[in-house]
Amino acid sequence: MIGVLGRGRMGSALARTLAEQGIPVLIAGRTRTGARPVGLATYPEIHCVPAPVVIGRADLLVLALPFDAAVELARNGLLDEGRGRTIVDTTNPPSAAGGRRRSGRLLAELLPHWRVVKALNTVPAGMLAEPVLDGRPVTVPLAGDHPSAKIECAAMLRGIGFVPVDVGGIDRAPALESLAELLMAIDSQHALRGRLGFSLATPEPSPLAPIGTAWPDRPPVPVGERQRFAPPAVESIRSTPGRPPRPSR
């Protein structure tokens, strides 16, 4: 059971996309009402319930709230009952002001009872229904300190048509937030209306190896020559080579 906190454009679009794959979804807004919004009414897989129900029952929880609202929930103790479950942080904090720390790493520190994964913050809501551009599936970078949580998040992303790629620990969250800011600037500059993404290409055959796997012996590299080794990644996060894009709906 996937839970979504936030019934705005991002949360509602994600819930609909998951429901179209037959995945049951619990969703809640910032109010305690369980009323079903019109845009979700035709999806029997989507259950609109109060936020505490979503938080308590979801196997995987997606934060589709504004950054400040998510921080407020965490600081008020409403997300304390993590029980080691996975939580996906899709937020993008506003720019720094008054010297205050503004980073998704703050959420990870406020949620020690969850396995936090930073993902989907680089994806506009309009890309969720059809994550394909120029015939290629869109790449979603994800960061976190728990490999099993990243595998769980990656499975959800692959199920809805994205290609997830592991970029490292939660300390990479600011880099993903900067990437999101750049993509939003490109979207605004060229009036793309949320139809924007990127597809990451890797060499074939790829030398990627599971985290914790030692690199095989290599011949010495001459001094001054650049070493061009691909970073380690979680094997099961990589998509199957040659996977066709999702058909248009």
Side-chain angles (χ1 to χ4, degrees):
M1 179 76 72
I2 293 178
V4 178
L5 277 184
R7 291 204 306 247
R9 291 187 63 219
M10 186 68 176
S12 295
L14 178 59
R16 287 192 296 267
T17 301
L18 291 168
E20 288 172 358
Q21 303 302 314
I23 300 171
V25 180
L26 298 175
I27 188 170
R30 280 187 277 180
T31 63
R32 289 182 173 268
T33 178
R36 181 185 291 264
V38 174
L40 305 179
T42 58
Y43 296 87
E45 296 86 358
I46 298 176
H47 307 278
C48 296
V49 296
V53 176
V54 177
I55 296 168
R57 292 179 52 189
D59 300 310
L60 180 149
L61 181 63
V62 180
L63 288 178
L65 296 167
F67 176 76
D68 288 332
V71 169
E72 182 181 356
L73 281 179
R75 283 181 168 159
N76 289 341
L78 299 179
L79 294 170
D80 284 353
E81 298 298 322
R83 305 192 302 278
R85 291 173 292 158
T86 297
I87 190 168
V88 180
D89 171 19
T90 73
T91 68
N92 283 308
S95 301
R100 293 184 299 159
R101 181 183 178 189
R102 310 297 288 173
S103 168
R105 286 180 298 189
L106 173 60
L107 270 175
E109 293 174 2
L110 291 173
L111 301 171
H113 304 299
W114 293 85
R115 301 180 305 167
V116 180
V117 179
K118 186 78 176 186
L120 279 175
N121 69 302
T122 60
V123 177
M127 289 301 303
L128 287 165
E130 188 56 47
V132 175
L133 288 172
D134 195 25
R136 304 180 67 180
V138 172
T139 296
V140 176
L142 52 87
D145 294 336
H146 305 277
S148 59
K150 288 191 280 189
I151 290 172
E152 187 179 1
C153 177
M156 177 189 73
L157 294 172
R158 284 197 307 270
I160 58 178
F162 290 103
V163 176
V165 61
D166 183 3
V167 301
I170 199 65
D171 59 332
R172 298 288 174 85
L176 297 190
E177 292 153 5
S178 295
L179 174 59
E181 185 177 14
L182 174 62
L183 291 174
M184 286 188 285
I186 295 172
D187 181 275
S188 176
Q189 179 72 21
H190 298 279
L192 300 177
R193 299 183 179 180
R195 291 294 298 171
L196 176 68
F198 69 94
S199 182
L200 183 66
T202 58
E204 293 293 344
S206 173
L208 298 180
I211 288 176
T213 300
W215 289 108
D217 293 335
R218 298 176 182 267
V221 179
V223 176
E225 181 175 337
R226 180 179 299 177
Q227 299 185 42
R228 302 181 62 187
F229 300 156
V234 176
E235 177 70 21
S236 59
I237 284 182
R238 295 187 357 244
S239 61
T240 302
R243 177 185 177 185
R246 296 173 63 206
S248 299
R249 280 188 280 273

